[in-house]
Amino acid sequence: MEREKIEQIYKWDIESFYSSEEKFEAEFKGLDEMIKKVEGFKGCLSNGADELFECLSTYEQIMRISENLYVYAHMKKDEDNRNSKYQALSGKAEMLSTRISTATSFVIPEIISMNEKLLSGFMEDERLTYYKRYIDEIIRKKPYVLSQNEERILALSGDMSSAAENAFEMLSFADMKFPHIKEEGKEIRITHANFMTFMKSSSRETRKDAFEKLYSTYEGYKNTIGATLAGAVKREIFYSRARGHESAIKGSLFEDNISIDVYENLIEAVSEKLQPMYKYVQLKKDFLGVEKLHMYDIYAPLVDDVDMKIPYEKAKEIILEALKPLGEEYTGIIKKAFDERWIDVYENDGKKGGAYSWGSYDSKPYILMNYKEDLNSMFTLVHELGHSVHSYYSRSSQPYIDAHYKIFVAEVASTLNELLLMEYMLKNAKGKKEKLYILNYHLEQFRTTVYRQTMFAEFEKTIHEKSEAGQALTGEDFSKIYYDLNKKYYGEDIEIDSQIAIEWARVPHFYSNFYVYKYATGFSAAAALSFLIMNDGESAQRRYIEFLKSGGSKYPLDQLRDAGVDMEDKYSVLKALELFEKAVEKLSLEDDFTKR
């Protein structure tokens, strides 16, 4: 469908962001003078509090305006990627960002190199109080910042450092071709896009065929992809050692001021709660009516042919009801999102796929959707609304410099929304089959986000430790480690097929080292907070809203602690995993299994 055929009420109100292209161009040109002004402070930040304040305030204005330009240009392109006008505009915004990064690259090194007494004296100036947290964060990193020449060398290695990841992406997503499989008499080539659709097929033959053919293809490239992953691991070790961190994992966690205890407690807690996963696997085997469950059965739905058509307007009603435990103020913001056109609802020709919540400090927290009138679309919508309400609260409660929250907490608000919606849907399910369908959806969220991502996190920790100890890792080594972890996490009631050993080779997240654990910790924190909100009522709700309002004004662990969850305490993860255990118990009570 062409975009102009979609009703205005289902398109985001981007006109309120920039009312005209003339305004956009005027702000773009206006940055020239501001960039020249900030460049004039180079080498002068130690001269006095006036110079430091003027530089930081100009720098902040530049970042705020350039963020507006960048977000607007890319959102317009996302409306229709075929539009060359907005392709050019987004490219222009990207080049502007590079120019600004270059022009302002002196700011942090100069602040770090300042005499501590001198900087402390400057900070007594009332105007600089506004930038205290920003400067404190810069100084926190001082022990791991090198000399200007050494920093320059590390910066110059930037393009080279991404070579392993780029090689993996070119091989996996461009050069590799997967075989065809037969589905309903048709020959269909396996792709990255359709593989999971095959894994969720009700046809066991389709699942098995797709599973074996995709992973046999990866097996043929095991040595090459093993070399790219080993290169990515060595990159992280090099940068952590160059900066003086004890290990790659500690260097990575330092960026968000996260304790190593958080990472290790996550793995320990999930390892202690593997019995509910083993029971879930056993129940899935019983529901599917198979003699032995295989790895290609793990994504299969428990029930088929559940017609859960959910039109967008109906989804809005359900979401507002489901989120009532968060209070009238929260649901009032959700209504604003619906009424004030934060959301670009339906697919149109050329539109970017998937979904996201985005925007700038000065815009509405927009949402891009490609709504399909099904359960998954409704959960995607409530997920993105969680992000947008979080952004709305943080932007309206914090100044620009403190409004951007860290990725470590970003998934908490979105996941908590999903959990509340899940609770509502289970309570209001129409009939046993629909309840089983929703319960399966819930359990799969837990399995893939907490258990599976924790398994990924343990894999990353293991391969980095082995490499740091001097072991040269090959594709064969990666496969053995990964296969053994699957045995640990899924137990004995499932056949750990040999092909699953190569699954590590198709996971791009392993090239963004020590990132995947944040999915599991975010889900765990959200589960623990949702439990508090449902059981402690108004006090827990109030603490949660304050958490959303805090934006980036505190470190992530402190924010979650204030909300009622201590992610350095293993108990918080264990408490979240109890929800999975209870859901598995609910499933076990549905003893009238549908044999296939």
Side-chain angles (χ1 to χ4, degrees):
M1 181 187 294
E2 290 298 328
R3 186 169 180 82
E4 56 267 23
K5 292 182 179 178
I6 296 173
E7 289 184 64
Q8 193 78 347
I9 58 170
Y10 299 119
K11 298 177 189 175
W12 52 25
D13 175 28
I14 202 163
E15 300 82 16
S16 65
F17 195 176
Y18 279 102
S19 55
S20 67
E21 289 180 24
E22 288 74 23
K23 185 179 177 184
F24 179 93
E25 290 297 335
E27 287 203 353
F28 198 100
K29 288 176 183 175
L31 281 177
D32 283 338
E33 287 302 313
M34 296 175 73
I35 292 171
K36 288 175 187 174
K37 181 180 177 182
V38 83
E39 285 177 318
F41 290 105
K42 188 174 182 180
C44 303
L45 298 189
S46 295
N47 291 357
D50 287 343
E51 283 81 355
L52 182 58
F53 173 75
E54 285 296 325
C55 177
L56 290 177
S57 60
T58 305
Y59 178 41
E60 181 186 359
Q61 289 177 62
I62 290 170
M63 296 307 295
R64 187 166 172 173
I65 294 169
S66 64
E67 182 184 12
N68 289 340
L69 297 170
Y70 186 94
V71 171
Y72 174 81
H74 281 77
M75 284 176 58
K76 286 300 291 181
K77 182 173 81 73
D78 289 346
E79 290 180 351
D80 186 348
N81 282 279
R82 302 169 303 176
N83 190 319
S84 58
K85 176 181 175 181
Y86 293 111
Q87 289 173 11
L89 200 66
S90 62
K92 188 177 174 181
E94 285 171 12
M95 286 189 286
L96 175 66
S97 294
T98 302
R99 182 185 167 199
I100 290 169
S101 296
T102 304
T104 59
S105 62
F106 70 92
V107 176
I108 291 175
E110 282 199 31
I111 292 173
I112 284 175
S113 64
M114 272 188 201
N115 176 280
E116 286 184 28
K117 256 187 185 177
L118 182 68
L119 181 59
S120 181
F122 289 169
M123 294 309 295
E124 291 178 9
D125 188 309
E126 285 186 10
R127 295 172 300 169
L128 285 168
T129 304
Y130 175 76
Y131 295 106
K132 184 180 185 306
R133 176 174 165 74
Y134 175 75
I135 291 173
D136 285 348
E137 178 63 5
I138 291 172
I139 299 305
R140 184 180 73 86
K141 297 177 180 179
K142 187 173 182 176
Y144 303 103
V145 175
L146 309 179
S147 70
Q148 286 195 15
N149 282 337
E150 288 170 328
E151 286 291 341
R152 181 174 177 273
I153 291 168
L154 288 186
L156 288 171
S157 72
D159 288 341
M160 180 178 65
S161 73
S162 60
E165 182 178 1
N166 290 339
F168 163 74
E169 288 182 352
M170 288 299 102
L171 177 61
S172 184
F173 299 113
D175 294 343
M176 285 175 65
K177 301 298 179 192
F178 301 107
H180 290 78
I181 66 166
K182 272 192 175 182
E183 188 178 44
E184 296 179 354
K186 294 180 182 178
E187 290 275 339
I188 304 174
R189 183 183 290 279
I190 302 168
T191 66
H192 290 287
N194 66 21
F195 178 66
M196 286 312 301
T197 303
F198 292 139
M199 288 296 92
K200 294 174 183 177
S201 171
S202 58
S203 165
R204 198 178 197 206
E205 184 181 343
T206 296
R207 296 196 302 268
K208 183 175 186 291
D209 201 15
F211 177 88
E212 291 178 348
K213 286 181 176 175
L214 180 120
Y215 288 124
S216 64
T217 303
Y218 272 103
E219 185 68 29
Y221 294 90
K222 178 170 65 179
N223 294 325
T224 301
I225 301 179
T228 64
L229 183 56
V233 170
K234 288 174 184 175
R235 174 195 65 196
E236 289 304 302
I237 294 170
F238 165 74
Y239 282 120
S240 65
R241 286 177 175 170
R243 293 197 176 280
H245 291 286
E246 288 180 45
S247 63
I249 188 170
K250 286 187 176 180
S252 178
L253 298 180
F254 176 79
E255 286 301 307
D256 287 339
N257 201 25
I258 303 297
S259 161
I260 187 69
D261 293 341
V262 174
Y263 201 101
E264 292 177 342
N265 283 343
L266 172 70
I267 294 172
E268 284 181 22
V270 172
S271 297
E272 287 175 22
K273 282 286 187 181
L274 288 175
Q275 285 303 320
M277 173 56 65
Y278 299 162
K279 186 170 184 179
Y280 175 51
V281 168
Q282 174 66 52
L283 288 170
K284 179 155 267 194
K285 179 172 81 72
D286 292 338
F287 267 93
L288 295 178
V290 295
E291 189 174 325
K292 188 75 174 176
L293 198 72
H294 285 259
M295 294 305 295
Y296 49 78
D297 296 318
I298 201 73
Y299 289 96
L302 299 182
V303 289
D304 293 331
D305 306 321
V306 176
D307 183 18
M308 287 201 70
K309 187 174 182 181
I310 307 172
Y312 178 68
E313 295 299 332
K314 182 64 177 175
K316 288 162 60 176
E317 294 174 15
I318 293 171
I319 286 169
L320 285 168
E321 285 296 316
L323 299 183
K324 276 185 176 179
L326 294 176
E328 289 184 15
E329 181 183 90
Y330 190 97
T331 54
I333 297 169
I334 297 288
K335 287 176 184 173
K336 281 172 72 76
F338 294 145
D339 298 341
E340 296 180 5
R341 293 172 49 213
W342 294 8
I343 307 163
D344 206 73
V345 180
Y346 295 115
E347 183 179 9
N348 61 254
D349 294 342
K351 185 177 177 180
K352 183 181 176 70
Y356 64 62
S357 166
W358 203 19
S360 71
Y361 185 80
D362 297 304
S363 79
K364 294 174 180 177
Y366 293 106
I367 295 171
L368 179 138
M369 287 288 298
N370 284 274
Y371 196 83
K372 300 289 187 189
E373 300 198 344
D374 57 19
L375 186 69
N376 187 61
S377 283
M378 182 170 69
F379 271 91
T380 301
L381 177 59
V382 84
H383 179 100
E384 301 304 339
L385 281 164
H387 286 310
S388 285
V389 175
H390 192 178
S391 297
Y392 178 88
Y393 269 126
S394 62
R395 291 169 192 168
S396 57
S397 304
Q398 299 294 333
Y400 177 82
I401 202 76
D402 290 330
H404 298 81
Y405 47 83
K406 295 281 190 181
I407 293 174
F408 186 85
V409 295
E411 293 302 320
V412 173
S414 54
T415 304
L416 190 140
N417 270 14
E418 287 194 66
L419 291 169
L420 292 179
L421 176 59
M422 180 60 65
E423 185 76 15
Y424 178 85
M425 294 298 289
L426 285 171
K427 282 181 181 176
N428 293 277
K430 296 172 184 174
K432 186 171 183 177
K433 204 169 184 183
E434 185 172 294
K435 183 181 178 182
L436 281 172
Y437 184 81
I438 296 167
L439 190 56
N440 178 68
Y441 189 96
H442 182 39
L443 287 164
E444 281 300 292
Q445 282 182 307
F446 248 110
R447 182 185 70 79
T448 56
T449 309
V450 180
Y451 285 94
R452 180 173 160 82
Q453 299 297 334
T454 302
M455 183 179 75
F456 284 177
E458 188 169 355
F459 176 75
E460 283 192 276
K461 184 173 182 288
T462 302
I463 63 177
H464 280 79
E465 286 174 347
K466 286 182 179 295
S467 187
E468 284 170 327
Q471 181 176 334
L473 295 171
T474 66
E476 194 64 41
D477 296 319
F478 291 133
S479 290
K480 184 180 186 316
I481 295 165
Y482 195 83
Y483 184 81
D484 289 343
L485 284 171
N486 272 273
K487 287 174 70 175
K488 169 187 171 180
Y489 278 79
Y490 288 108
E492 297 179 355
D493 282 315
I494 183 169
E495 182 69 35
I496 309 297
D497 303 280
S498 60
Q499 293 94 336
I500 201 65
I502 195 68
E503 187 182 36
W504 61 267
R506 63 178 287 261
V507 181
H509 286 88
F510 292 151
Y511 295 82
S512 302
N513 294 310
F514 305 110
Y515 178 83
V516 293
Y517 86 99
K518 296 176 186 179
Y519 290 117
T521 53
F523 195 102
S524 298
L529 287 170
S530 67
F531 178 84
L532 291 173
I533 289 166
M534 296 299 287
N535 290 276
D536 293 357
E538 194 175 327
S539 61
Q541 177 204 108
R542 187 172 60 252
R543 290 196 303 271
Y544 178 65
I545 298 301
E546 287 305 312
F547 157 74
L548 298 179
K549 289 180 177 179
S550 64
S553 64
K554 297 179 181 179
Y555 290 119
L557 291 180
D558 294 332
Q559 291 175 308
L560 289 171
R561 209 173 279 117
D562 290 346
V565 179
D566 185 356
M567 293 308 293
E568 287 185 296
D569 185 348
K570 189 167 64 176
Y571 174 78
S572 295
V573 181
L574 290 170
K575 193 70 181 171
L577 290 169
E578 283 180 16
L579 294 178
F580 178 79
E581 192 169 11
K582 287 176 182 176
V584 171
E585 285 302 316
K586 284 181 185 177
L587 183 63
S588 69
L589 295 174
E590 303 293 336
D591 54 5
D592 181 20
F593 296 146
T594 305
K595 302 288 184 183
R596 300 189 183 198

